[in-house]
């Protein structure tokens, strides 16, 4: 079949990119430059038949929910960030992505067209699998028709990774990036809270794969077996780790694909692959313990760029205008932080070259938002054109954001009933007993490990002390310090865990303010080691303003993230204000003990004659200066237990009056300028949001049921690191 016939029969002929009157001159010029051709084959499968997945869901729900979103994320990224032509991007989804369909699309779209030096991207989102061919273990991409072997039909119909590597080796171009958002390890128990695992839940054994004549034609009778992928391969996790997808409101996507593409939308050219993947790992690990990996024959190149040199166009962006009519503009929100996506239905956006031309979102479906542009002036109309980069100018957050707690379905029925009742008594918590509804954490017990005697078939041992209840991530990873070591009643367990639930909700609400890519404030946050050596460890900054270059930025950019810091080290933060106005801030973090901590500036000496400084002004940085956190001669040490630390620095051009007043009573509880917020965590989070809302000059346009955060007056930076022994 000729390429055009294949495209037409698949119903996937795509129209050319219409730039119209786009104000992004650099973008137009980049597309007009003579360049290597850029080809992509994007594969995504949600609706696996039961005979393929090996498990019965008992409903019409698809096996996965986010693979098609991954394909859309990559397609829009390649077109609007890397300059791919839509007709050069071929997509296969669900029923189209059979084993034969994938191989034929590879042959017609990539092998028949790619010339030496062309940029090639191959993406797969769906199930991965481990299988055995005789005594040989193998890994595979599971196609839509990847049926399991039976006694009557003992052969597989898989696309093994060996075959994929062999196919890639046939391309004339070696400038190839393969992106794999699939896993090869299945969980012991199903995940919950809107998470799904991207690996087939069974590990089958069978005979050699059913042959495809086209494979023999392409590869020969005895093809060589490459040990590595040609070019680069970007994988969602290590082979032994779970690969998961997650839902945010009405959007489901692979954690890896969403994080990878969102980081590129935030990136300005040029960018090293090591930098990009480090940031992607850091973003993924906020949600699940999977560690994205880089491999392939070209992975060792230190200067390697993502997508093999298909350099993204600057500047950073939250969205791009993909379609428009005389009355409506359609934005693709692929660059928006996932924490902000559920609340973007009423946010305001402006096009890059007209930041005063902000317009509110009228409706949103998934990652697509509709903007009313019926009243544009002639000048404004020239800015709101297809291909224009858009940025968030006003974020609208509901005042009532609850914590959603899933109740483990493995608990006894009476336990689930009692847990539902106890959680209902907490006004800030919503509970769910289903595995599919989105949840922030899971209430349950760890799995019972069988005793050695019982596992050997002997009589069961005498029952000992029962394990108590605890809180887990939806991926079933235990939240530190929440598991009781003795049996307890449900009501007592919920009462014991209530302070922790408040802390989780406080951080959920504050994470919804992260906006490094859209903030107009010029802010930088450094994490520095002071002992056993002085060293800059990590640096985060807002991306829109032009900040002075950091002397050690290159060193920081090349490090492997997430950052690890050993126990015994001593740390401090440095906050830089590059604005012409004073900057007010609040510093909060969650430590390895899962405590929510806040910075408390030192009190003035009691014998000083200087006039008293207003409380809120102690949380401030003068224009063009920097301060240390903590101040004076205090450094914060890394002690046991080890684990992850997450830090948020929230800045505003107006004082945090309410937050400072809420923090003041805690000053007597610490002499290290850092205090455990405990029961006050949620109250202080609400005070911070109220202060940000009060500082918004456009507050009159927003309902009193919401907070309105203005990107011209607020910035929230987030960083994280792992404490290790």
């Amino acid at each position: 079949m000729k390429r055009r016939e294949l495209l037409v029969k698949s119903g996937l002929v795509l129209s050319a990119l219409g730039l119209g009157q786009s104000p992004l001159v650099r973008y137009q010029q980049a597309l007009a430059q003579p360049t290597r051709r850029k080809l992509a084959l994007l594969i995504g499968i949600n609706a696996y038949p039961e005979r393929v997945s090996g498990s019965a869901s008992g409903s019409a729900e698809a096996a996965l929910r986010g693979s098609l979103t991954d394909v859309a994320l990559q397609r829009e990224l390649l077109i609007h960030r890397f300059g791919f032509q839509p007709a050069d991007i071929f997509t296969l989804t669900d029923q189209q992505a059979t084993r034969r369909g994938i191989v034929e699309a590879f042959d017609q779209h990539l092998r028949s067209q790619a010339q030496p030096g062309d940029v090639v991207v191959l993406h797969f989102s769906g199930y991965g699998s481990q299988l055995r061919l005789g005594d040989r273990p193998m890994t595979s991409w599971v196609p839509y028709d990847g049926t399991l072997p039976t006694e009557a039909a003992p052969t597989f119909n898989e696309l093994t990774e060996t075959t994929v590597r062999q196919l890639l080796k046939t391309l004339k171009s070696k400038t190839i990036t393969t992106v794999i958002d699939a896993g090869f390890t299945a969980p012991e128990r199903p995940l919950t809270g809107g998470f799904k695992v991207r690996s087939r839940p069974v590990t089958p054994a069978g005979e050699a794969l059913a042959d495809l004549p086209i494979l023999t034609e392409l590869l020969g009778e005895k093809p060589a077996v490459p040990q590595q992928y040609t070019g680069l391969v970007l994988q969602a996790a290590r082979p032994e780790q779970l690969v998961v997808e997650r839902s945010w409101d009405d959007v489901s996507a692979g954690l890896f694909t969403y994080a990878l593409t969102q980081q590129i939308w935030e990136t300005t050219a040029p960018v090293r692959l090591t930098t990009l993947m480090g940031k992607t790992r850091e973003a993924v690990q906020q949600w699940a313990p999977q560690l994205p990996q880089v491999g392939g024959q070209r992975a060792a190149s230190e200067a390697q760029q993502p997508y093999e040199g298909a350099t993204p166009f600057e500047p950073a962006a939250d969205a791009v205008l993909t379609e428009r009519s005389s009355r409506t503009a359609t934005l693709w929100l692929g660059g928006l932080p996932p924490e902000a996506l559920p609340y973007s239905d009423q946010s305001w956006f402006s096009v890059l070259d007209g930041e005063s031309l902000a317009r509110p979102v009228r409706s949103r479906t998934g990652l697509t938002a509709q903007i009313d542009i019926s009243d544009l002036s002639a000048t404004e109309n020239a800015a709101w054109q297809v291909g224009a980069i858009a940025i968030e100018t006003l974020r609208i957050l509901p005042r009532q954001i609850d914590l959603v707690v899933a109740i483990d379905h493995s608990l006894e029925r009476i336990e689930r009933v009692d847990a539902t009742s106890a959680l209902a008594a907490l006004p800030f918590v919503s509970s769910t007993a289903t595995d599919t509804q989105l949840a922030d954490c899971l209430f349950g017990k760890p799995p019972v490990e069988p005793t050695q005697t019982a596992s050997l078939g002997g009589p069961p041992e005498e029952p000992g002390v029962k394990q108590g209840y605890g809180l887990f991530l939806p991926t079933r990873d235990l939240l530190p310090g929440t598991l009781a070591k003795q049996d307890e009643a449900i009501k007592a367990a919920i009462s014991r865990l209530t302070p922790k639930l408040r802390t989780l909700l406080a951080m959920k609400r504050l994470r919804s303010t992260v906006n490094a890519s859209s903030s107009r404030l010029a802010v930088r946050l450094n994490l520095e080691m002071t002992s056993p050596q002085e060293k800059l460890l990590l640096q985060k900054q807002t991306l829109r303003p032009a900040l002075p270059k950091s002397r050690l930025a290159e060193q920081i950019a090349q490090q492997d993230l997430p950052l690890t810091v050993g126990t015994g080290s001593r740390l401090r933060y440095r906050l830089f204000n590059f604005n012409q106005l004073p900057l007010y801030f609040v510093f909060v973090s969650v430590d390895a003990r899962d405590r929510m901590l806040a910075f408390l500036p030192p009190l003035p000496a009691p014998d000083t004659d200087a006039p008293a400084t207003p409380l809120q002004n102690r949380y401030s940085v003068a224009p063009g200066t920097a301060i240390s956190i903590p101040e004076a001669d205090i450094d914060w040490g890394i002690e046991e237990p080890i684990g992850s630390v997450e830090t948020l620095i929230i800045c505003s051009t107006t004082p945090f009056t309410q937050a400072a007043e809420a923090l003041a009573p805690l000053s007597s509880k610490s002499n290290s300028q850092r205090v455990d917020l405990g029961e006050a965590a949620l109250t202080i989070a609400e005070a911070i949001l109220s202060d940000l809302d009060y500082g918004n000059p456009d507050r009159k346009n927003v309902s009193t049921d919401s907070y309105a955060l203005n990107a011209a007056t607020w910035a929230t930076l987030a960083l994280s690191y792992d404490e290790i022994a």
Side-chain angles (χ1 to χ4, degrees):
M1 187 184 299
K2 293 183 179 179
R3 173 177 176 264
R4 172 162 283 287
E5 294 174 338
L6 177 65
L7 293 171
V8 172
K9 289 191 176 184
S10 301
L12 296 170
V13 176
L14 302 173
S15 61
L17 175 63
L19 289 177
Q21 299 291 323
S22 171
L24 298 182
V25 177
R26 282 176 299 174
Y27 186 73
Q28 291 178 312
Q29 291 175 340
L31 292 183
Q33 293 293 326
T35 184
R36 301 171 292 175
R37 193 172 185 182
K38 301 172 182 179
L39 300 166
L41 173 58
L42 311 179
I43 306 161
I45 309 172
N46 283 341
Y48 282 102
E50 181 184 322
R51 67 179 184 276
V52 178
S53 65
S55 64
S57 63
S59 70
E61 183 187 2
L64 297 173
R65 292 196 291 266
S67 298
L68 303 194
T69 307
D70 291 359
V71 167
L73 283 164
Q74 286 280 21
R75 181 180 180 276
E76 299 300 331
L77 181 84
L78 295 177
I79 293 172
H80 297 289
R81 205 64 178 159
F82 288 100
F84 280 61
Q85 295 296 324
D88 288 332
I89 301 174
F90 191 80
T91 63
L92 289 176
T93 58
D94 286 343
Q95 293 89 338
Q96 300 166 339
T98 62
R99 183 172 174 233
R100 177 183 292 276
I102 293 172
V103 174
E104 288 182 346
F106 182 94
D107 177 37
Q108 297 294 330
H109 186 63
L110 298 183
R111 192 191 67 82
S112 297
Q113 297 191 92
Q115 298 301 312
D118 284 353
V119 175
V120 175
V121 174
L122 173 63
H123 178 102
F124 177 79
S125 284
Y127 275 150
S129 178
Q130 292 189 35
L131 50 86
R132 299 191 69 83
L133 297 177
D135 60 351
R136 289 183 301 154
M138 304 188 76
T139 55
S140 75
W141 299 0
V142 181
Y144 178 80
D145 59 345
T147 53
L148 294 168
T150 63
E151 185 174 344
T155 56
F156 287 102
N157 193 38
E158 303 285 299
L159 190 64
T160 66
E161 288 206 291
T162 298
T163 300
V164 175
R165 292 196 298 268
Q166 290 171 330
L167 286 170
L168 289 170
K169 193 173 178 61
T170 68
L171 298 181
K172 295 177 183 178
S173 174
K174 304 307 175 186
T175 314
I176 305 167
T177 300
T178 304
V179 184
I180 307 172
D181 202 339
F184 308 103
T185 299
E188 296 180 1
R189 295 195 293 168
L191 303 189
T192 187
F195 283 77
K196 281 180 172 284
V197 177
R198 287 197 172 171
S199 57
R200 185 160 54 188
V202 295
T203 304
E207 297 180 6
L209 303 178
D211 193 20
L212 282 178
I214 189 173
L215 279 175
T216 303
E217 178 184 340
L218 294 177
L219 303 178
E221 293 290 342
K222 294 183 178 180
V225 181
Q227 297 302 309
Q228 291 182 301
Y229 277 85
T230 304
L232 291 172
V233 58
L234 311 182
Q235 294 185 280
R238 292 172 175 167
E240 72 278 5
Q241 292 178 323
L242 297 181
V243 172
V244 301
E245 63 178 30
R246 186 190 191 275
S247 294
W248 292 269
D249 196 27
D250 60 345
V251 175
S252 293
L255 285 185
F256 172 55
T257 301
Y258 199 153
L260 176 68
T261 56
Q262 200 260 334
Q263 291 299 323
I264 294 175
W265 279 103
E266 286 190 354
T267 298
T268 56
V271 59
R272 291 177 181 267
L273 180 63
T274 51
T275 303
L276 173 66
M277 288 298 287
K279 293 179 178 179
T280 301
R281 292 187 189 106
E282 187 179 20
V284 166
Q285 291 207 312
Q286 292 180 24
W287 308 103
Q290 70 181 64
L291 197 64
Q293 300 293 300
V294 180
Q297 295 174 347
R298 298 165 69 95
S301 173
E302 291 185 1
Q304 191 59 259
Q305 294 183 356
Y307 297 90
E308 287 274 22
T311 305
F313 304 109
E314 52 184 338
D318 295 315
V320 63
L321 203 162
T322 57
E323 299 177 20
R324 65 153 291 173
S325 66
S326 60
R327 303 184 63 85
T328 304
T330 301
L331 294 184
W332 174 257
L333 306 179
L336 203 64
E339 298 90 345
L341 181 63
Y343 316 115
S344 61
D345 301 70
Q346 300 180 54
S347 294
W348 291 55
F349 288 85
S350 64
V351 292
L352 180 67
D353 286 4
E355 294 188 3
S356 63
L357 312 178
R359 290 289 186 276
V361 172
R362 295 305 184 193
S363 64
R364 179 182 64 83
T365 303
L367 287 165
T368 301
Q370 302 298 322
I371 307 285
D372 183 359
I373 56 171
S374 58
D375 60 342
L376 292 180
S377 67
T379 301
E380 292 170 334
N381 189 68
W384 284 86
Q385 293 295 322
V386 171
I389 295 300
I391 50 177
E392 184 187 33
T393 60
L394 199 65
R395 184 174 300 176
I396 311 300
L397 300 175
R399 289 181 181 268
Q400 188 62 34
I401 298 177
D402 288 343
L403 187 76
V404 182
V405 181
I407 299 172
D408 194 345
H409 62 80
S410 67
L411 296 177
E412 299 291 338
R413 182 178 181 278
I414 186 62
E415 292 178 297
R416 297 198 301 272
V417 171
D418 288 347
T420 301
S421 176
L423 289 170
L426 301 177
F428 59 89
V429 168
S430 300
S431 64
T432 173
T434 69
D435 288 337
T436 56
Q437 184 176 340
L438 306 186
D440 301 299
C441 62
L442 172 71
F443 174 79
K445 290 182 176 181
V448 177
E449 298 291 340
T451 64
Q452 184 176 12
T453 304
S455 65
L456 294 174
E461 295 182 350
E462 290 295 322
V465 177
K466 293 183 179 180
Q467 187 73 282
Y469 300 96
L471 294 175
F472 303 78
L473 294 175
T475 53
R476 296 192 180 275
D477 295 279
L478 178 67
L479 291 173
T482 66
L483 183 64
K485 297 183 179 180
Q486 68 282 330
D487 196 13
E488 60 182 340
I490 291 279
K491 186 175 181 180
I494 297 298
S495 178
R496 173 178 61 82
L497 294 170
T498 295
K500 179 58 185 174
L501 294 172
R502 291 181 183 274
T503 297
L504 291 174
L505 178 56
M507 286 302 294
K508 176 182 179 179
R509 292 183 177 180
L510 293 181
R511 287 190 193 104
S512 68
T513 70
V514 172
N515 73 330
S517 64
S518 61
S519 176
R520 314 298 201 278
L521 297 183
V523 182
R524 177 179 291 156
L525 180 66
N526 286 355
L527 174 63
E528 303 172 353
M529 178 187 292
T530 60
S531 176
Q533 59 177 314
E534 292 191 2
K535 183 179 181 183
L536 178 60
L537 298 177
L538 196 59
Q539 187 175 90
K540 293 297 179 74
Q541 63 187 38
T542 50
L543 304 175
R544 299 227 56 78
L547 271 63
K549 289 188 176 181
S550 170
R551 182 172 55 87
L552 298 177
E554 187 69 15
Q555 168 193 325
I556 296 296
Q558 295 184 48
Q559 68 188 9
D560 192 22
L561 298 176
L563 173 71
T564 57
V565 182
T567 53
S569 303
R570 303 198 69 80
L571 307 177
R572 69 172 172 230
Y573 296 83
R574 292 271 289 169
L575 177 61
F576 295 82
N577 175 14
F578 295 106
N579 304 281
Q580 295 180 354
L581 295 172
L583 197 66
Y584 300 88
F585 70 92
V586 177
F587 175 102
V588 296
S589 66
V590 175
D591 69 1
R593 300 178 187 176
D594 236 28
R595 302 175 302 175
M596 187 171 174
L597 309 172
F599 165 70
L600 294 176
L603 296 173
D607 56 348
T608 181
D609 294 329
T613 302
L615 182 62
Q616 65 269 21
N617 288 356
R618 297 177 193 158
Y619 298 86
S620 65
V621 191
T625 66
I627 66 164
S628 295
I629 305 173
E631 298 179 22
D633 297 326
I634 298 176
D635 294 324
W636 291 335
I638 302 297
E639 301 173 350
E640 299 286 355
I642 59 176
S644 297
V645 176
E646 177 185 6
T647 296
L648 298 176
I649 188 82
I650 306 167
C651 303
S652 175
T653 56
T654 56
F656 285 94
T657 305
Q658 298 178 62
E661 291 177 353
L663 285 166
L666 303 177
S667 59
S668 62
K669 297 182 179 181
S670 173
N671 58 5
S672 66
Q673 299 181 28
R674 182 168 57 178
V675 65
D676 183 352
L677 299 184
E679 294 276 358
L682 189 53
T683 299
I684 290 170
E686 291 171 346
I688 293 170
L689 289 168
S690 295
D691 285 327
L692 291 175
D693 179 61
Y694 182 77
N696 172 27
D698 294 329
R699 186 67 184 87
K700 60 182 181 296
N701 297 318
V702 180
S703 164
T704 56
D705 294 333
S706 304
Y707 299 112
L709 280 59
N710 192 316
T713 63
W714 128 81
T716 300
L717 300 177
L719 64 79
S720 59
Y721 61 90
D722 291 336
E723 297 177 350
I724 61 174

